[in-house]
Amino acid sequence: LRLNEHLAKLQNYQVEGVVGTDPGILRLGHSDELLNSYKTGVPKQLAESSGIQSQEDYSVWLMNVAWAHIKVAESALRGAPAVILGNGGHHAEYESGYGFGPINSLIITSKYMIQNSGIEKIAVLDLDVHYANGTHSLGKYNPSILPTDIYRNKLEKWQYTKNQENILHRQIENSDHYFEALEIILQKITGFNPDFIFYYLGMDVIETDRMGGIKGFDERALDKRDDLVAEFLNLHHYPTAISLGGGYINHAVNDDAVEAQYEAMVERFAMRILKLSPTGRIIRPNSTLSQLTTRT
Ligand SMILES: [Zn+2]
């Protein structure tokens, strides 16, 4: 909401709300059992497997999130760069949500676009610091999709998918390793020659991030990373849509310090969005939810 407010003030951006039209779209990524739990709220453990509380209109909101991602992809393919103010859900697996991601919109959208938009190949460039267990496990059977990922953190309960022809992830420990891995990943994407790229823009690489953090990764490293990505995308003219990954502030400080961290985080996201897409559209899923209360 804060980022929406910030970007909406910029004249070169238009904000657009999306209402989904077909809940069946979610079956491109998830089991009926999981989707039913989102609809009915039971079993509660499954319905809240992502960490987001089940509530009224929850499944309507999820449908809107998925359709907003599709809208963003279609916009990018038409040459209008776009960003979605919503989470792509890279941790969501076929039978379970994880890590605040109830559905994997990146994969749902990729499959939908390949079936319906006439494009053949989609790459996911995931630069959130956490392992993209959902994207890899859902994407591995589809050679038209190339999930790529640089990560430091992986939880035991997340599925691990080995690297294969159409999966490339690299685990790294420090900032230097990160940039070596980035070069390898970008080369792989060039070789794949995608028709479209989802850039999963994560800020949780920053060393001080509460939930992530890479040794030696400061604001300058973040600038360098997104300069390299912007240069890469411009060089190859890949239509690109940006979906937002993680970025976690520390709440264990006084209110003013929390507020300052929120502002810095919004600025961090906004700066990179502007760098990657100086003009364009901001697309957000319509939501009737009062709040996205989480259990942790
Ligand atoms: Zn993350």
Side-chain angles (χ1 to χ4, degrees):
L1 291 174
R2 284 166 189 260
L3 186 56
N4 185 94
E5 210 171 281
H6 186 95
L7 291 171
K9 284 185 204 143
L10 305 172
Q11 285 180 340
N12 42 355
Y13 275 93
Q14 291 173 306
V15 182
E16 189 182 327
V18 171
V19 177
T21 48
D22 173 14
I25 191 84
L26 303 180
R27 297 175 77 185
L28 288 174
H30 303 285
S31 68
D32 286 345
E33 202 186 351
L34 179 64
L35 297 174
N36 283 336
S37 78
Y38 291 155
K39 206 168 166 183
T40 61
V42 288
K44 194 172 161 68
Q45 202 181 357
L46 190 59
E48 300 191 339
S49 51
S50 70
I52 297 180
Q53 279 185 358
S54 182
Q55 51 196 296
E56 210 186 332
D57 286 343
Y58 187 51
S59 60
V60 174
W61 173 68
L62 293 178
M63 174 180 72
N64 292 348
V65 170
W67 279 101
H69 273 79
I70 289 167
K71 186 113 185 167
V72 128
E74 288 174 341
S75 174
L77 278 175
R78 282 196 307 270
V83 56
I84 173 152
L85 292 184
N87 183 290
H90 71 158
H91 296 309
E93 298 179 2
Y94 182 64
E95 294 183 302
S96 178
Y98 286 111
F100 310 125
I103 57 166
N104 194 312
S105 299
L106 303 169
I107 290 292
I108 290 169
T109 302
S110 296
K111 287 188 174 174
Y112 177 89
M113 297 303 285
I114 286 161
Q115 283 174 14
N116 297 285
S117 73
I119 62 170
E120 288 173 3
K121 289 185 282 183
I122 295 181
V124 180
L125 172 59
D126 186 329
L127 297 184
D128 181 284
V129 79
H130 298 97
Y131 181 69
N133 56 306
T135 310
H136 298 318
S137 61
L138 286 166
K140 71 178 170 184
Y141 300 113
N142 194 329
S144 300
I145 303 173
L146 173 70
T148 67
D149 177 18
I150 304 174
Y151 71 102
R152 189 177 78 84
N153 311 58
K154 180 189 173 304
L155 298 186
E156 200 56 46
K157 63 183 177 184
W158 297 340
Q159 265 190 61
Y160 180 78
T161 305
K162 282 186 191 161
N163 280 318
Q164 59 180 46
E165 185 54 34
N166 71 320
I167 304 271
L168 181 59
H169 50 69
R170 279 279 195 277
Q171 186 171 26
I172 50 84
E173 281 305 323
N174 62 45
S175 184
D176 289 343
H177 289 162
Y178 190 93
F179 286 100
E180 287 164 21
L182 184 58
E183 207 180 309
I184 292 165
I185 296 263
L186 296 182
Q187 268 174 19
K188 175 77 179 177
I189 293 176
T190 309
F192 182 70
N193 194 24
D195 302 303
F196 169 74
I197 293 183
F198 257 130
Y199 179 30
Y200 198 58
L201 177 64
M203 295 303 164
D204 47 11
V205 285
I206 291 255
E207 186 161 19
T208 52
D209 190 277
R210 175 170 55 89
M211 307 275 275
I214 293 170
K215 201 162 184 269
F217 211 104
D218 55 14
E219 293 281 349
R220 272 179 53 203
L222 196 59
D223 274 339
K224 180 178 162 184
R225 179 190 79 176
D226 287 313
D227 282 342
L228 287 168
V229 171
E231 201 177 291
F232 172 77
L233 297 173
N234 289 333
L235 177 69
H236 297 281
H237 304 290
Y238 294 129
T240 304
I242 302 167
S243 178
L244 306 183
Y248 302 91
I249 66 160
N250 176 13
H251 297 93
V253 285
N254 69 43
D255 288 355
D256 285 351
V258 166
E259 194 54 36
Q261 286 182 73
Y262 270 127
E263 268 179 38
M265 187 63 78
V266 164
E267 184 60 33
R268 212 172 267 151
F269 270 109
M271 260 176 66
R272 273 75 196 190
I273 289 167
L274 281 167
K275 186 179 285 182
L276 293 156
S277 169
T279 61
R281 296 161 82 199
I282 295 161
I283 291 173
R284 52 176 298 203
N286 270 23
S287 169
T288 50
L289 307 186
S290 51
Q291 58 177 354
L292 278 183
T293 42
T294 56
R295 286 183 289 137
T296 51

